[in-house]
Amino acid sequence: MADFRELMTAPNALALIVQGALEAEGLHVVVDRQERSPFGLDSGWFATRVLVAAGDLQRAQELLAEIDAAED
């Protein structure tokens, strides 16, 4: 199995959007909801983790920076 690194944590809906955007660019992405709250919370401590293959981490960070810049 590939070595994965945490790219970000976010509410589940945003994590899934990020996953789709990165996968569209050919990156291997996994979302991890292990710490899911029994109370329906999905931010802070209970946020969904977005993980990318260690070799894709820099490219994933660059893509997120491009997305952030486009929003401004």
Side-chain angles (χ1 to χ4, degrees):
M1 179 161 180
D3 185 26
F4 284 87
R5 300 283 187 252
E6 184 175 299
L7 174 65
M8 64 183 291
T9 59
N12 189 58
L14 179 57
L16 294 175
I17 291 169
V18 169
Q19 178 186 23
L22 296 177
E23 287 178 344
E25 294 292 328
L27 280 68
H28 189 197
V29 182
V30 174
V31 292
D32 176 19
R33 297 180 71 192
Q34 277 188 336
E35 300 298 325
R36 176 83 186 196
S37 167
F39 305 109
L41 302 173
D42 68 350
S43 61
W45 180 260
F46 300 110
T48 300
R49 295 172 44 198
V50 178
L51 309 169
V52 296
D56 291 336
L57 182 60
Q58 183 175 348
R59 178 68 180 135
Q61 291 168 334
E62 292 168 357
L63 289 168
L64 283 182
E66 288 177 23
I67 292 168
D68 284 341
E71 290 179 354
D72 292 337

